[in-house]
Amino acid sequence: GKILSILGNTNDEKLMIKILKKNKIDILFHAAAYKHVPIVEENPIEGIYNNVFSTYNLCKLSNDFKVKNFILISSDKAVRPTNVMGASKRLAELIVQGFAQKTNKTVFSMVRFGNVLGSSGSVVPLFKHQIISGGPITITHKEIIRYFMTVTEAAQLVIQTCSMAKGGDVFLLKMGEPIKIIDLAKQMIHLSGLTLKNKDNPNGDIEIIQTGLRAGEKLYEELLIDAEAKDTDHPLIFRAVENSLSFEYLIEFLTKLKTHLVNKNTKESLLILEKIVPSWKESKFINSK
């Protein structure tokens, strides 16, 4: 089939209407989001507005245009979020769950997974560049752990969740065993035919240095919120049973949130986000202890 490339903003309602009118869309995958944790942490107004209201906008239009399946590409960072990006993605999930309650025209679901190897935010291209430049390789913390999956694996599994979705589903992809980022760095040095430079080997080629955890960064990511993962027909896809909010309650909060975001009221916007995503507030309290 023909691939059309259309440049635009998912918050641009008129453009989204034009695209949906012109093309008979059966399945809509919503992956557009500001995902860079420290940048969103420093620019919460733009991060929240983009991630939250693009989701609301596309859910509403999917329902209006009777799109068969809507799938939100969520993140492991939405689970007990420690940053604004994760909290905004959890709110995006709540919006999708809200629309699932409201309609039977579109099947709304979401898929959570972790880091994808080779993606723009992945450490692999960064480490590769740092090795080529002669080092050092920078990691934020020696104990930091991440799950990894290839782009192809993630895409195939996300597509397969469409046939399993009933409405309001939160799917989890089995990401394999978690990897220590420092071990990945050491392996990449070794695979490049170079040696690790440290106190035991001062004449080595590439040094690994710690720069400290970034704002909102976790040592490890999780894939569940107070839920037991349930098996599906696919061994790498699980289903989480999540709490959701009533659509009316959600709209009330979103209306207030939008007003504060438009008026650039950072403090008020963050307070509303804390109310809708209480696990974010709790995680901040725990981490400040």
Side-chain angles (χ1 to χ4, degrees):
K2 192 180 174 186
I3 294 172
L4 296 175
S5 297
I6 302 163
L7 186 63
N9 187 331
T10 46
N11 273 307
D12 183 341
E13 193 175 358
K14 284 179 181 168
L15 175 62
M16 295 303 110
I17 288 170
K18 187 180 172 186
I19 292 168
L20 286 160
K21 264 185 181 172
K22 192 177 176 185
N23 307 281
K24 288 180 180 177
I25 293 167
D26 290 321
I27 304 172
L28 196 155
F29 296 97
H30 176 36
Y34 290 144
K35 300 182 182 78
H36 194 287
V37 170
I39 292 176
V40 173
E41 206 67 15
E42 287 172 24
N43 300 274
I45 296 284
E46 286 304 317
I48 297 165
Y49 192 93
N50 185 65
N51 294 356
V52 170
F53 289 98
S54 66
T55 305
Y56 177 82
N57 189 26
L58 289 173
C59 284
K60 178 181 171 291
L61 295 177
S62 293
N63 188 47
D64 292 348
F65 284 91
K66 298 181 178 65
V67 171
K68 286 179 189 170
N69 280 79
F70 176 100
I71 298 97
L72 172 73
I73 305 301
S74 190
S75 163
D76 50 5
K77 290 173 179 66
V79 183
R80 282 182 280 272
T82 52
N83 48 62
V84 175
M85 196 285 280
S88 71
K89 290 293 275 185
R90 176 59 190 143
L91 178 48
E93 289 183 351
L94 287 166
I95 289 166
V96 177
Q97 289 172 306
F99 272 92
Q101 294 169 22
K102 183 179 179 277
T103 183
N104 54 12
K105 289 180 193 170
T106 302
V107 177
F108 288 96
S109 63
M110 61 221 87
V111 188
R112 278 189 203 139
F113 53 99
N115 301 273
V116 174
L117 280 166
S119 64
S120 61
S122 171
V123 292
V124 174
L126 171 66
F127 287 176
K128 206 171 175 182
H129 173 73
Q130 289 177 334
I131 290 167
I132 291 165
S133 305
I137 284 181
T138 55
I139 61 167
T140 58
H141 194 287
K142 64 182 173 67
E143 297 299 327
I144 207 159
I145 286 168
R146 289 290 179 267
Y147 290 88
F148 286 98
M149 183 177 265
T150 66
V151 174
T152 310
E153 281 177 303
Q156 285 175 348
L157 292 173
V158 166
I159 291 164
Q160 286 182 64
T161 65
C162 293
S163 62
M164 302 175 182
K166 296 167 187 170
D169 318 74
V170 180
F171 292 107
L172 317 169
L173 302 188
K174 191 175 180 182
M175 302 288 294
E177 291 303 311
I179 298 168
K180 259 190 169 183
I181 296 295
I182 194 165
D183 291 342
L184 176 66
K186 286 174 183 174
Q187 198 173 8
M188 285 185 69
I189 292 167
H190 176 68
L191 291 170
S192 302
L194 301 168
T195 57
L196 175 65
K197 181 182 178 181
N198 57 18
K199 63 175 192 276
D200 298 324
N201 186 24
N203 297 319
D205 302 303
I206 307 287
E207 189 181 8
I208 297 173
I209 58 171
Q210 290 184 78
T211 56
L213 285 175
R214 301 176 299 176
E217 190 173 25
K218 281 184 182 181
L219 280 178
Y220 65 97
E221 300 297 348
E222 307 164 84
L223 286 172
L224 287 173
I225 303 176
D226 301 326
E228 291 288 330
K230 295 186 175 178
D231 291 341
T232 65
D233 293 336
H234 195 292
L236 298 179
I237 301 171
F238 293 83
R239 194 188 297 269
V241 180
E242 289 289 9
N243 295 325
S244 59
L245 302 174
S246 79
F247 189 77
E248 291 69 28
Y249 181 72
L250 197 58
I251 293 301
E252 193 184 314
F253 267 113
L254 288 174
T255 306
K256 289 178 191 170
L257 179 60
K258 193 167 194 176
T259 302
H260 288 307
L261 291 170
V262 168
N263 292 325
K264 312 296 180 195
N265 298 330
T266 304
K267 190 181 175 184
E268 290 84 351
S269 299
L270 294 176
L271 284 170
I272 288 176
L273 189 58
E274 280 182 354
K275 281 180 186 170
I276 320 178
V277 186
S279 58
W280 176 47
K281 187 176 182 179
E282 286 158 22
S283 78
K284 287 204 297 182
F285 174 69
I286 292 161
N287 288 335
S288 67
K289 278 184 170 180

